Amino acid sequence: YYKKMNTYNQLIFMLYAIINKTPSLSCWCKNLSFLDGKLSYLGITSLPARSTLFDANANRPSLVFEKLYYVLFEHYKSELQGKFVCTSINGEVDTNLAKRFDSTTFTLFSDLIFKGAGRKSVENVKKGGVKAQTLLSFDSLVPEYIELGAAAKNDKDFLGQLQAEKDHIYVFDKGYVNYNVYQKWTNESVYFVTRMNKNAKYEIIKNNEVDYFNITSGVNVLKDQEIEVYVSDSKSKLKLRMVTYKDPVTGKVLEFLSNMFDISNQTISLLYKNRWAIEPFFKQLKQNFQLSHCLKQRRGVFLKPKIKALRNDI
């Protein structure tokens, strides 16, 4: 509690700043001055002083807002699910059990808050970045899990931190390849579909029969093979399934990797196809919430004591 700035009031003010795409802390305070007496319907009768607003952002942990998000998500979960209808998955997979995840990066104005990825710009200035690891259900476009970190952080680290649920199916791209996690998930009855890396080493142990083009699903499968790969931290082998798919429109050939052997190869291909629905979500997020200049100090200059406040705001 900071004078008249409790958590509820701070949340309202921050939402206002995001919706109005406020570019700086100073602009944020000036814009709030126009709302004097207009927020009474939200229970806010007075606006905070500039110093009070800054102190709340600097000292109140951001975890309280993270907790509020998950509380709201659980409260509205039943209403949020089913609002987004994905492509049919061959009648073999319950969309409630299918999850997709990916990461997206928000470029920041400085790398003093979160370390960015890549080289410096032409102006020899290294920008920072926030990488958002996002988990989405197949029948919803509201994230049920989000992890924020530096853009330079490797995606493989997230795969081991994800609390995967038994009997659920997780679909992700090849940037998350981690055979140790694959083996752990297989032992715990957690299933996945991903892409095979081009430099992956494996041994083919069986070739399954393939219906090259399924008219019902519209999926063109070239190969369905069972393979063995070495787990990196041991000499043990992990048995997986590799489905080779050819896009009938572009002609591009893709290899999918999974630990599911009791569903059709068309279903595995369709599962990965539905992963792409997460990309429009990221595009919509960036268009509506431009975090690259969120609560930035005036003229691009900020003091080191304010870094903690900016991190909490983001």
Side-chain angles (χ1 to χ4, degrees):
Y1 184 82
Y2 300 92
K3 297 181 181 179
K4 296 182 180 180
M5 178 63 69
N6 55 32
T7 303
Y8 172 78
N9 288 10
Q10 185 182 1
L11 177 62
I12 297 298
F13 297 144
M14 290 179 68
L15 288 174
Y16 173 79
I18 293 173
I19 292 172
N20 285 276
K21 297 179 173 61
T22 304
S24 67
L25 289 167
S26 299
C27 183
W28 185 19
C29 295
K30 290 180 180 178
N31 288 346
L32 284 176
S33 64
F34 292 103
L35 297 178
D36 190 24
K38 297 179 181 180
L39 296 177
S40 57
Y41 71 99
L42 293 174
I44 299 176
T45 57
S46 61
L47 297 176
R50 176 173 175 172
S51 60
T52 304
L53 193 62
F54 285 6
D55 289 343
N57 281 348
N59 299 318
R60 179 170 284 122
S62 60
L63 292 177
V64 66
F65 299 107
E66 177 183 340
K67 185 176 181 179
L68 283 173
Y69 176 87
Y70 290 122
V71 168
L72 287 169
F73 177 80
E74 288 298 325
H75 181 77
Y76 291 103
K77 189 174 183 179
S78 59
E79 297 184 29
L80 294 171
Q81 289 181 336
K83 299 297 183 182
F84 174 77
V85 181
C86 65
T87 306
S88 174
I89 313 179
N90 235 17
E92 290 188 287
V93 174
D94 183 359
T95 55
N96 289 325
L97 300 178
K99 314 286 183 182
R100 54 193 158 207
F101 63 83
D102 202 351
S103 65
T104 187
T105 301
F106 297 90
T107 303
L108 299 179
F109 53 90
S110 172
D111 66 342
L112 294 180
I113 305 172
F114 286 104
K115 185 179 180 181
R119 300 178 180 179
K120 291 183 178 180
S121 63
V122 179
E123 295 82 8
N124 200 31
V125 176
K126 182 66 176 293
K127 293 185 178 181
V130 176
K131 179 176 287 187
Q133 302 284 357
T134 308
L135 179 66
L136 285 174
S137 175
F138 264 53
D139 61 354
S140 174
L141 276 182
V142 179
E144 58 185 67
Y145 179 77
I146 302 171
E147 180 183 292
L148 299 179
K153 188 176 181 180
N154 198 314
D155 288 337
K156 297 179 182 179
D157 298 331
F158 172 76
L159 195 63
Q161 298 171 2
L162 179 65
Q163 299 298 318
E165 299 180 66
K166 184 179 179 181
D167 297 327
H168 282 62
I169 303 172
Y170 295 88
V171 187
F172 48 94
D173 65 21
K174 58 185 178 181
Y176 293 89
V177 59
N178 190 322
Y179 293 120
N180 294 319
V181 177
Y182 295 169
Q183 186 178 57
K184 179 176 180 291
W185 282 4
T186 302
N187 296 336
E188 296 175 353
S189 298
V190 177
Y191 306 105
F192 67 88
V193 176
T194 185
R195 288 270 306 278
M196 173 71 85
N197 275 347
K198 292 183 179 180
N199 60 349
K201 296 181 180 180
Y202 58 89
E203 180 182 350
I204 300 173
I205 59 176
K206 185 180 179 181
N207 288 291
N208 298 321
E209 186 177 348
V210 174
D211 181 5
Y212 291 100
F213 185 79
N214 187 288
I215 298 177
T216 304
S217 63
V219 175
N220 190 10
V221 175
L222 302 180
K223 299 178 184 178
D224 184 357
Q225 301 168 310
E226 294 180 13
I227 65 173
E228 285 185 342
V229 297
Y230 282 101
V231 181
S232 59
D233 63 349
S234 68
K235 296 182 179 180
S236 62
K237 294 182 179 180
L238 176 63
K239 182 181 177 182
L240 296 172
R241 186 179 181 184
M242 184 173 69
V243 175
T244 304
Y245 162 83
K246 183 177 181 179
D247 191 302
V249 178
T250 64
K252 187 175 182 180
V253 176
L254 304 174
E255 293 176 331
F256 304 131
L257 196 64
S258 179
N259 60 349
M260 292 183 288
F261 297 89
D262 56 351
I263 64 175
S264 66
N265 43 45
Q266 287 88 7
T267 300
I268 290 178
S269 301
L270 287 171
L271 277 168
Y272 194 85
K273 181 180 179 180
N274 280 276
R275 187 198 74 84
W276 291 102
I278 198 172
E279 301 298 339
F281 165 75
F282 287 148
K283 184 177 181 180
Q284 182 184 28
L285 185 67
K286 292 182 178 181
Q287 287 177 343
N288 289 280
F289 305 105
Q290 300 174 12
L291 299 181
S292 58
H293 296 285
C294 182
L295 305 187
K296 173 183 174 182
Q297 292 287 327
R298 182 181 294 180
R299 298 176 185 174
V301 180
F302 58 92
L303 302 177
K304 289 187 177 181
K306 294 295 183 181
I307 292 177
K308 181 180 178 182
L310 290 168
R311 183 183 289 115
N312 285 340
D313 293 342
I314 293 170

